[in-house]
Amino acid sequence: MLTTGIQNLPEPLARTQAAYHYGTGRLAPASADRLARRVEHFASSVQFVLDDPDAARRLHALTKDLRTVPRLGTLLPQVLRGAMTLAGGDFGNIQIVDPATGSLRLVTQAGFGPEFLDYFAVVEDVHSTCGRAARQGAQTAVADIRADPGFTPHREIAAAAGFRAVQSTPLVDYAGHLIGMVSTHFRRPHRPSDRDLRIMELFADFAGEALTRHLGRPSGDGPADPVGRAMVTALLDPARVRGADVSVAFELWVMGRMTASFARRAGQRGPSAQPA
């Protein structure tokens, strides 16, 4: 597993940051349905970490310092390192959503050569694993790309890069907006265990929040925004001191309660009341 040699790609990272900081694009407001799914996700997540204390400790060890990372360029390698620790992999990358186009722009990588980086510099199709995960808003794992019909258009570049399996996990904010994607790749056919994939999902919840804070998302994205900003401050503010008795399970519970409130608000307003 490669957890060293992780590097940011300066030009695409700067371009993506500019898209957020200068308001060239805006993420669409989350629908009531998406918010409701987030409620279910957090509820099951809390139960998972309560049932598996070792998983909670492992997750806490990799998320406890995310709020203190001072720069996005420092945070991204730390997130990729954590993902490769949890899900494994011989290669890995992080993509950030371009808010103007909805495409995934590759900004951080480990182990890939120029050909792969050029080929997947910007992903807009739904055949790649990351493209499918982005479209479905759900973690996607392919145990063997040669046996996966959907991956057919990309088999040649995968063979050249030297990987046979891949998992992609969405990086999302409190309301379920897609912020980016973290993927790990394996030289041989492989699928991480269900437990490791689940911990990876929870890690991505916290990593997505940390990325959102650094990207300086435009405000006013929907009814969840004001309370969501307060929650981001509570969970990720460097000035916040976390007591030893504040567990990952508790923070997930807080996130779930917040999201439930958002979903109720969105439902009361109705679809027609959502901002354009």
Side-chain angles (χ1 to χ4, degrees), residues 51-118:
D51 291 342
D52 192 339
D54 288 340
R57 284 190 287 270
R58 189 179 179 198
L59 180 62
H60 174 69
L62 291 170
T63 60
K64 62 185 176 65
D65 296 325
L66 292 183
R67 73 176 67 85
T68 64
V69 179
R71 292 179 299 277
L72 182 62
T74 306
L75 176 65
L76 288 165
Q78 185 167 327
V79 170
L80 183 53
R81 191 172 295 110
M84 296 181 75
T85 298
L86 290 172
D90 302 294
F91 315 91
N93 67 66
I94 292 178
Q95 300 153 297
I96 294 180
V97 173
D98 185 324
T101 65
S103 58
L104 294 170
R105 189 176 295 276
L106 202 160
V107 296
T108 304
Q109 69 91 26
F112 289 112
E115 186 177 3
F116 175 93
L117 299 180
D118 288 343

Side-chain angles (χ1 to χ4, degrees), residues 2-28:
L2 176 66
T3 56
T4 58
I6 296 173
Q7 61 177 190
N8 292 322
L9 306 176
E11 188 175 329
L13 179 56
R15 189 178 302 122
T16 304
Q17 283 185 274
Y20 284 91
H21 285 297
Y22 299 109
T24 59
R26 184 182 295 272
L27 296 178

Side-chain angles (χ1 to χ4, degrees), residues 21 44 69-70 103 111 122 127 129 132 147 159 170 179-180 188 201 219 221 223 225-226 233 263 269 276:
H21 285 297
S44 63
V69 179
S103 58
V122 179
H127 298 290
T129 308
R132 276 182 259 176
I179 301 300
R188 296 179 177 83
E201 282 186 309
S219 62
D221 285 338
D225 191 68
T233 299
R269 290 178 55 162

Side-chain angles (χ1 to χ4, degrees), residues 63-251:
T63 60
K64 62 185 176 65
D65 296 325
L66 292 183
R67 73 176 67 85
T68 64
V69 179
R71 292 179 299 277
L72 182 62
T74 306
L75 176 65
L76 288 165
Q78 185 167 327
V79 170
L80 183 53
R81 191 172 295 110
M84 296 181 75
T85 298
L86 290 172
D90 302 294
F91 315 91
N93 67 66
I94 292 178
Q95 300 153 297
I96 294 180
V97 173
D98 185 324
T101 65
S103 58
L104 294 170
R105 189 176 295 276
L106 202 160
V107 296
T108 304
Q109 69 91 26
F112 289 112
E115 186 177 3
F116 175 93
L117 299 180
D118 288 343
Y119 186 92
F120 284 111
V122 179
V123 173
E124 297 175 306
D125 79 304
V126 296
H127 298 290
S128 63
T129 308
C130 60
R132 276 182 259 176
R135 181 188 62 179
Q136 298 165 4
Q139 185 181 65
T140 302
V142 176
D144 187 352
I145 59 172
R146 294 183 188 174
D148 182 75
F151 204 87
T152 300
H154 306 301
R155 285 180 186 167
E156 186 175 343
I157 188 65
F163 68 90
R164 285 282 299 273
V166 58
Q167 73 78 30
S168 294
T169 301
L171 298 164
V172 295
D173 69 3
Y174 57 88
H177 292 117
L178 181 67
I179 301 300
M181 192 71 58
V182 58
S183 302
T184 59
H185 308 67
F186 306 84
R187 294 186 187 279
R188 296 179 177 83
H190 174 75
R191 186 184 187 279
S193 70
D194 289 344
R195 178 177 181 266
D196 286 347
L197 287 172
R198 188 62 187 277
I199 300 173
M200 181 68 225
E201 282 186 309
L202 303 187
F203 174 76
D205 285 330
F206 288 96
E209 283 292 348
L211 289 175
T212 301
R213 174 173 169 267
H214 280 283
L215 286 169
R217 276 270 310 282
S219 62
D221 285 338
D225 191 68
V227 182
R229 287 200 305 272
M231 187 192 73
V232 170
T233 299
L235 291 180
L236 300 170
D237 194 317
R240 175 177 174 265
V241 178
R242 181 199 197 120
D245 59 339
V246 178
S247 66
V248 169
F250 176 76
E251 290 196 342

